[in-house]
Each structure stands twice: as structure tokens, then as C-alpha cells.
Amino acid sequence: MTHDWQFDVPTAGSRHLPPDARYMEALSSQGYSFEVAIADLVDNSIDAGAKDVVIHFLRDGDQLVSLLVVDDGKGMDESALDIAMTVGGRRDYAADALGMFGTGLKSASLSHASAVTVVSTTKRTRTAGRRWLMERAVSSFQCDIVDPGYAQTLIDRYDNRRPIEWQGTVVRWDGVKDFPKHGGGGQTDRYLHRTINKLGLHLGLHLHRFLARDNFNITIAVEDVRTGTIYMNFGVEPLDPFGYPVSGHPEYPRALTASVPTVGDVTLKAHVWTAKSNLDEYKAVGSVMDRQGFYFYRHDRLVQAGGWNNFRQPEQHLSLARVAVDLPDRSGDVFRLTVKKAGVNASPEFTSSLEKAIDRWGHSFLDYLATADTVYRDARKRSGTTRRPVLPPGKGLDPAVRETIEDELPIVPYEEPIALRWQKLDNELFFEVDREDRTIILNQHYRAAILGGRRGGLNDAPLIKSLMYMLLHQVFEKEYSGSREKDNLQLWQAILVSAARAELDRVADSD
């Protein structure tokens, strides 16, 4: 029997096929969130030896105009600047560098801005600058040379006023897509409050080991370019995901060793968090299901916060389990970072090694998981209540409320969440239950009165929506309602319609 399958594909020459200029557009569409993009720029500052990094929002009255990331690192000459602005530019990364692929600066910046300008100076060379304009980048690979006079002006702006003194780099974003188009009515202030809070938490978490050092600082500031007024100016605090005051179990943390054939021994530092913690260090990472699992570090930078990487499914009872893993320098195909450095793809070779991982006294990784499970269950028992599992809350409910529900109640795993949304209904109804779509529908007619004139959104009216979820979540656990449940639904309907109409009357009287 003959086989025509070949394991090596024969070739007949080659052809040079350079990327189309539209490659820049694809590069900028990788789904960078705002805070992940900024973190990528701060990584470059750390690689440049920066001790001070300033993230500077510039506004002109109510309008946000630019965002700059400024550092006092070693800076770049023109040659290094050209390499930095080249997509996939080849350069020698230091052994402990956070950069890897040569795309972060460009893809992170152009994901969020229509133009990115980089100006840099060193102790021995004159100031130089380059600019990628997205409009030109997608039609050709022509990178603008920044006028030397302007480049020096931009550097001088941060000279003698932190952080630049003799050397450093400024990355400037213009045409930032996230900035409010119209800043009136307090939109700019609300945007800044929300964005800066989220950015500070992200940087504090993912760079907490650097921020814990005495010689490294990140400052977030807001300045009005017309008046020179500084609206905000504060330092980012480290947020250690293992920073519990007391361990959840006296025998933890423990260092276990997983023997991975391709890369050797990998140390797993297994922690058990304190039960029912309200600390930001515990709650800053997603939901209960998200924050358990592996916390991978590469050169002291947190590159994945939570997740079991196909070793097992997350469960409520393991919400106190966190494992710190410092990735080996030579990871091969066992640990592969995403381009955004926001996750790790671990091969089956690693997950298989976990089942045999032990510490010096013979305690296994599976023993650790069992301990974390027991600590969680015992804490629930001590509280004097055994709460019944519920279907998870979903879209339409504020994320902070969803997180609290998931913290306080066991969640039925692998179930579709219950969504809440506004929709036009008969005015005799305050709500409707859609079992098939697993949705609680609220009557649009009463929305304005409930919001008290405030602008609505996907997650608006958190108080009334939370109450509706708690009132109705059990309805979705059955295929149909019995007579008693139907009577309750009619009762709730009548009372809520009456209350909503009273709210409408109050609004009419105030007008």
C-alpha cells in the first residue's frame, strides 16, 4: 500500500511579499483596553531605567486635548527612535526587559489615538522626535520627523518640573478616541474620575512589585493648558494581590514545585486569602470566578491576574485560592504571553505537571486546592448561614453590584446569567419575566421617573434593578410558575406599578 502524504512540503523558489500599509490598521485593532495600552507604555519607561513616570491628561477648559506619558529614562537618539517607531523593530532587549515583540508602543497607541508622537533626549545627543499619524500610516509606512524646535519645546516643558532633568522621553497621544467629544455638563470630570480610578487600580496591580520599591513612582496628573491649573496630581499606590493582613490558613503560603520537562522546575507559591475580605487587594481583580487561580509574573510585572489555564474550571469554593508563578526566562512553548501582555497561554505540559507538584514536606497541589475549598466552606458555616446557590446576575446590573452578589451568594456554575433591560410594556405592568431569554424586562414608561431626571444607560437604576433581581431570580429556576408564585407575581406587580405611578406624580408636581 502506497502513501502520497509528505511531511515536508516541497517548494519551488520564493517571492517577496511585504505587508500592505493597512497592516497598521490591523495592528491597532487588537482590542487593547485603555489601561492596558497605558501600561504597555509604562513598561517601555521601566525598560529605559525610569525612576519617575508621569501620565499627564491635558485639558483646555472642558475639553480634553492630549494625553502624555513622560519618563526620566535614559532616552533615545535618532537611530534608537527610528527602531522604536518601526513596527516589529529589531533591538536587543535586556535579559530583564518587559518589552518583547517590538509592537507595543505603536499598536497600544494607535488603538486609542489618531496620532502618536515620541520625543526623546539623552545626556549626549540632541532632542529628536517622530510621529505616526494613523491617517498616513494606513496608506504608507511614512513616519513623520518632528521639527527639532518643537521636540525641544516639548522636552523643556517637563524639564526641572518632574520627571525630566537631563534625559527622558515623552509619548504624546492626540485625537484620543475615548475622550468625550463634548466636555460640557461635567462629562469631562466624570470621564476623568472614572478613567483615572480604573487606570490607577490597573497600574497599581500589574506593576505592584515596581511601585513597592523606594526608587520608582508613577504619577497621574491633570492640567489645564490655558491656565496652568493642576486639577489632580497623585501617586499610584501598589496593589499587591497577595497583600492580605493575615493568611486564610496558618500553613500557607507554601512553595510547591512543578517539574515541567521542557523548562525544568517551576515554583508555585500557593496562598489562601482571608475569607470575606473587603480589601482592594482582593477585590480589584474581576469577579469571584475571575480572581482565583494563577498570577503569572514576568520580570516582576504581573502579566496574568487569575484563571486556571485549562487545569480546572473556576468554582465559588476556590475563590480564596491564588498562586503566584514567576515565569522562567526561557519558557519555550510552555508559557506564551499574549502580545498585549494581558494573559498567558500555558501548554498541557504545565497543567499536567500540576497534579504531581509538591512542596518539601510532600503536600501536593491538589491538597492545597482542598485546603482553600475547606477554608471557604468553614467561613460560610461560621457565619451561621448556608445560602442557596443562585443563577448569576448579568447585563444591565452595575458590575459592582454583580460582584457583591457573587461574593455573597454561591453561583450555579455554567448557567446563563439573568439580564435586566428596559422595554416598552403595557402601563399596567411594571415588569415582565422572559424565561426563554432569561431576562427581567422593566417598563420603559417609568424609567425617567425612577432615574429622577438623570441620564440613563445600560447599568442605570442599580438600586431598583438589584431589588428586582433578588425578588425574581428564583422564578427562572423553574419552567413554569405554580399558583402561589403566580399570586406573588401579581401582588408585586400591583404594588410596584402603584409606586412607579406615585413617582410619576411627584415628577409632574415638581414641574
Side-chain angles (χ1 to χ4, degrees), residues 62-215:
D62 284 335
Q63 199 68 46
L64 284 169
V65 291
S66 296
L67 182 140
L68 298 92
V69 177
V70 188
D71 70 55
D72 64 347
K74 64 184 179 182
M76 294 175 280
D77 59 19
E78 292 212 50
S79 176
L81 193 53
D82 282 340
I83 293 172
M85 294 295 271
T86 299
V87 177
R90 291 181 177 273
R91 69 181 180 90
D92 294 327
Y93 287 101
D96 59 350
L98 301 180
M100 290 181 65
F101 303 107
T103 61
L105 169 62
K106 285 75 64 178
S107 57
S109 298
L110 294 176
S111 291
H112 288 275
S114 61
V116 54
T117 302
V118 180
V119 170
S120 194
T121 190
T122 75
K123 289 182 178 179
R124 297 181 179 83
T125 61
R126 67 175 187 171
T127 301
R130 299 289 185 269
R131 180 185 72 164
W132 274 117
L133 190 64
M134 191 62 179
E135 186 180 345
R136 293 187 62 197
V138 298
S139 59
S140 68
F141 280 106
Q142 296 297 311
C143 184
D144 296 327
I145 299 172
V146 176
D147 176 78
Y150 173 78
Q152 188 60 53
T153 299
L154 191 55
I155 288 291
D156 289 344
R157 191 178 196 278
Y158 293 96
D159 189 11
N160 298 322
R161 50 173 282 184
R162 272 189 69 192
I164 294 174
E165 187 172 358
W166 302 105
Q167 59 188 9
T169 299
V170 178
V171 178
R172 169 177 165 168
W173 287 1
D174 291 301
V176 180
K177 301 168 189 175
D178 281 355
F179 284 177
K181 298 296 183 287
H182 305 287
Q187 284 192 51
T188 292
D189 290 327
R190 287 194 295 272
Y191 168 83
L192 285 170
H193 178 78
R194 181 177 66 251
T195 301
I196 289 174
N197 182 59
K198 194 173 181 181
L199 177 60
L201 287 174
H202 182 87
L203 295 174
L205 177 69
H206 290 267
L207 296 172
H208 73 89
R209 288 185 178 178
F210 292 94
L211 289 163
R213 301 172 185 174
D214 293 333
N215 64 347

Side-chain angles (χ1 to χ4, degrees), residues 55-64 161 188-190 192-193 196 219-234:
I55 299 162
H56 210 176
F57 292 83
L58 299 183
R59 62 188 293 175
D60 184 356
D62 284 335
Q63 199 68 46
L64 284 169
R161 50 173 282 184
T188 292
D189 290 327
R190 287 194 295 272
L192 285 170
H193 178 78
I196 289 174
T219 303
I220 301 178
V222 181
E223 179 185 346
D224 191 307
V225 294
R226 188 181 302 178
T227 64
T229 304
I230 305 296
Y231 286 87
M232 299 181 192
N233 189 352
F234 66 91

Side-chain angles (χ1 to χ4, degrees), residues 257-267 328 330-335 346-357:
T257 300
S259 296
V260 185
T262 304
V263 297
D265 289 347
V266 175
T267 300
R330 291 180 175 83
S331 297
D333 290 330
V334 177
F335 302 106
S347 74
E349 189 178 347
F350 170 68
T351 52
S352 296
S353 71
L354 296 172
E355 295 180 1
K356 299 178 182 178

Side-chain angles (χ1 to χ4, degrees), residues 206 294-297 302-309 341-345:
H206 290 267
F294 296 112
Y295 285 66
F296 288 111
Y297 292 84
L302 182 61
V303 291
Q304 177 178 304
W308 291 110
N309 295 79
K341 288 176 283 187
V344 174
N345 295 314

